[in-house]
Amino acid sequence: SDPNAGYDVVILGSGSAGYACALRAAQLDLSVAIIEKDKLGGTCLHTGCIPTKALLHAGEVADSARHGEEFGVKTEGVSIDMAGVNAYKDGVVAKMYKGLQGLIKASKVTVIEGSGKLVGPNTVEVNGERVTGRNIVLATGSYSKSLPGLDVDGTKVITSEHALRLDKVPSSAIVLGGGVIGVEFASAWKSLGADVTIVEALPRLVAAEDADSSKMLERAFRKRGIKFKTGKGFESLKETAGGVSVTIAGGETIDAELLLVAVGRGPSTAGLGYDEQGVSMDRGFVLVNEHLQTNLPGVYAIGDIVPGVQLAHRGFGHGIFVAEHIAGLNPRPIDEAGIPKVTYSEPQVASVGYSEEAAKEKFGADVVVSYNYNLGGNGKSNILKTQGFVKLVSVKDGPVVGVHMVGANMGEQIGEAQLIYNWEAFPSDVAQLIHMHPTQNEALGEAHLALAGKPLHAH
Ligand code: FAD
């Protein structure tokens, strides 16, 4: 189609945020062009959510086999065929990629391959051509950051992208960063047979989560033999014949075959014309109002380039919101505290809303009540031999303002908690609902029964 036609919406970047915006805008009969320099689907599909979860699942299968005897099932010994693991992982990505290409094709969205740049209020330049849109949506995503003095070489010092392409499991690895991505790789690699040490400058793993969740995860990792050094910053790195030698705060050195740098993701916004065009930014992130509009008229920003949690489903939500806003549907602004978060390690950590500490700060320490239901009392968790808890944070005579979970499969359980938080349910409302027995979901029901003053299988 004619790139100069002038679209209703021109989207720069086709990751979770960009493609969701494109699909929803097309559904609303807007004319849409989406510009992508690499592959439709972006980070999440190709080098993020999907391949990492496949790797983690392969690890879980290996662990199940190793632990067969605990269930009376004898297995002969477990070995990992990394080529097979990669074929499985890449197969899942390929299938989802094909599906997305089909969806985009059926939607009549115009896809322009190339690297785009904002060159005017309503104009993006790509492949030497100008594409104009009544609205421009910036959705260029994020990249793995490193630290000063730490050069990523792709073999001994790697990012998550390289880590997904390894053709063998490292015998030993240092994971720099105990946030979601670091913890997930540490968990997967340990399950696949590596000796893993996490180095984290903050005082605890998954520091963005409730302190009780960090404590429980650390306990579980200790039991699994995943080593971690918290409160210890990276100091220096030396290459050795066998890999790397890393010195951390306090002078301790750790040797391993490779170092994974997982110290956060920066916004991909440099050199794209945002600055020149006068888009308001903060440390490279694009600033927006509650309608995800930048300071430039008709220019929106969505997904990982907007300050806040960098998650694919937040990107989907942003994309849908902006398409509906452009179409004049007046959608309700997104409450970012209501976006659920999951770390898909073994055990999983999941949450929605405020941590106990943040709730006390926001609502006052005297009105915040919390209840911690141990999965030891949950039948299904005992069947699975998984440990953990469901923790509720509530306001006295008020709604539930935070739910935190640790344990196997908790990523699948946080969905109900999201309704509870976002619909501002009181503990007594949820206590009224009957949860299925025996499921892990029942633990959420039990926690609400307890907080409503009528515990069943708890004190
Ligand atoms: P991206 O997905 O990064 O997409 C941006 C797109 O823009 C890319 O395709 C890029 O090529 C394109 N682009 C950039 N600049 C230009 C340009 N100038 N011209 C044209 N195209 C351009 N989130 C979850 O919710 N769950 C998970 O389990 C999860 N796991 C993750 C695991 C890892 C290892 C990583 C790295 C991330 C994970 N995430 C997860 C985060 C998730 O991937 C991101 O939040 C999500 O991809 C953000 O979507 P986005 O559209 O903002 O950006």
Side-chain angles (χ1 to χ4, degrees):
S1 70
D2 176 6
N4 299 312
Y7 294 90
D8 291 324
V9 193
V10 173
I11 304 166
L12 194 52
S14 75
S16 311
Y19 86 67
C21 186
L23 291 173
R24 183 67 184 125
Q27 253 171 27
L28 293 166
D29 285 331
L30 297 167
S31 61
V32 184
I34 191 162
I35 301 167
E36 174 55 57
K37 65 173 181 174
D38 195 356
K39 283 185 190 156
L40 276 178
T43 306
C44 176
L45 175 55
H46 300 285
T47 55
C49 328
I50 299 295
T52 52
K53 266 77 263 179
L55 200 65
L56 280 156
H57 184 66
E60 283 162 19
V61 172
D63 279 336
S64 294
R66 278 185 203 111
H67 292 279
E69 292 229 6
E70 289 177 32
F71 304 88
V73 178
K74 294 215 171 176
T75 44
E76 284 299 308
V78 176
S79 63
I80 305 297
D81 161 26
M82 202 55 201
V85 171
N86 282 332
Y88 148 68
K89 163 177 71 63
D90 297 344
V92 177
V93 172
K95 178 161 185 248
M96 303 298 295
Y97 183 34
K98 208 164 167 208
L100 178 63
Q101 288 171 307
L103 274 177
I104 293 280
K105 200 165 176 194
S107 73
K108 308 225 161 49
V109 167
T110 302
V111 178
I112 303 172
E113 289 174 20
S115 186
K117 190 172 171 178
L118 189 68
V119 294
N122 296 89
T123 313
V124 172
E125 193 178 275
V126 54
N127 305 327
E129 306 259 7
R130 293 185 156 230
V131 184
T132 58
R134 196 161 56 77
N135 300 277
I136 307 282
V137 182
L138 310 177
T140 43
S142 61
Y143 67 93
S144 301
K145 287 195 297 192
S146 187
L147 295 177
L150 194 53
D151 293 327
V152 172
D153 66 9
T155 45
K156 289 184 173 183
V157 181
I158 65 173
T159 67
S160 57
E161 276 185 53
H162 309 112
L164 285 166
R165 293 200 302 258
L166 298 181
D167 53 18
K168 72 179 206 19
V169 184
S171 59
S172 57
I174 302 166
V175 174
L176 193 56
V180 183
I181 292 174
V183 157
E184 288 186 354
F185 273 102
S187 184
W189 279 344
K190 178 70 190 178
S191 299
L192 295 172
D195 180 48
V196 184
T197 308
I198 304 172
V199 175
E200 168 58 59
L202 293 172
R204 53 190 173 96
L205 298 181
V206 291
E209 297 290 345
D210 190 276
D212 283 344
S213 297
S214 296
K215 217 181 288 166
M216 191 75 195
L217 179 72
E218 289 179 1
R219 204 162 88 192
F221 269 18
R222 224 172 270 128
K223 250 184 161 166
R224 290 185 58 197
I226 297 174
K227 289 168 267 182
F228 51 88
K229 314 272 177 190
T230 47
K232 303 277 183 191
F234 165 84
E235 299 253 303
S236 64
L237 170 128
K238 255 195 343 223
E239 289 210 7
T240 61
V244 292
S245 180
V246 168
T247 305
I248 61 173
E252 188 182 347
T253 62
I254 310 164
D255 293 333
E257 200 176 305
L258 57 79
L259 172 74
L260 169 67
V261 185
V263 294
R265 295 183 58 84
S268 300
T269 53
L272 304 183
Y274 302 176
D275 264 336
E276 290 93 318
Q277 294 304 317
V279 175
S280 270
M281 311 227 275
D282 178 22
R283 278 162 283 185
F285 287 95
V286 178
L287 299 177
V288 293
N289 65 14
E290 63 170 358
H291 303 300
L292 302 173
Q293 292 164 308
T294 70
N295 59 314
L296 298 189
V299 180
Y300 294 79
I302 57 178
D304 279 10
I305 60 170
V306 175
V309 288
Q310 294 171 312
L311 292 170
H313 43 282
R314 171 177 178 254
F316 294 148
H318 279 183
I320 293 168
F321 177 90
V322 163
E324 294 184 353
H325 194 263
I326 290 171
L329 296 187
N330 204 16
R332 188 143 55 112
I334 295 167
D335 169 14
E336 298 243 336
I339 298 173
K341 298 184 286 187
V342 182
T343 303
Y344 297 86
S345 45
E346 175 53 51
Q348 297 187 349
V349 179
S351 68
V352 64
Y354 293 86
S355 68
E356 183 170 353
E357 202 181 292
K360 283 180 173 165
E361 242 167 65
K362 174 143 175 112
F363 305 104
D366 46 332
V367 298
V368 169
V369 279
S370 73
Y371 181 82
N372 202 320
Y373 181 84
N374 193 304
L375 292 184
N378 173 254
K380 184 61 189 279
S381 297
N382 279 298
I383 292 168
L384 297 175
K385 288 183 179 275
T386 186
Q387 291 171 353
F389 62 75
V390 171
K391 173 176 173 174
L392 304 181
V393 181
S394 177
V395 173
K396 215 179 272 171
D397 302 319
V400 175
V401 296
V403 182
H404 307 275
M405 304 173 163
V406 181
N409 314 315
M410 287 296 134
E412 305 290 341
Q413 300 303 330
I414 202 69
E416 183 186 354
Q418 136 164 258
L419 294 182
I420 293 167
Y421 172 86
N422 285 296
W423 291 356
E424 299 177 8
F426 282 36
S428 53
D429 295 327
V430 187
Q432 191 70 22
L433 304 173
I434 293 173
H435 290 74
M436 308 73 66
H437 176 77
T439 62
Q440 287 187 289
N441 179 251
E442 199 180 4
L444 192 63
E446 292 267 357
H448 282 89
L449 281 169
L451 203 56
K454 42 181 182 176
L456 184 60
H457 300 99
H459 317 279

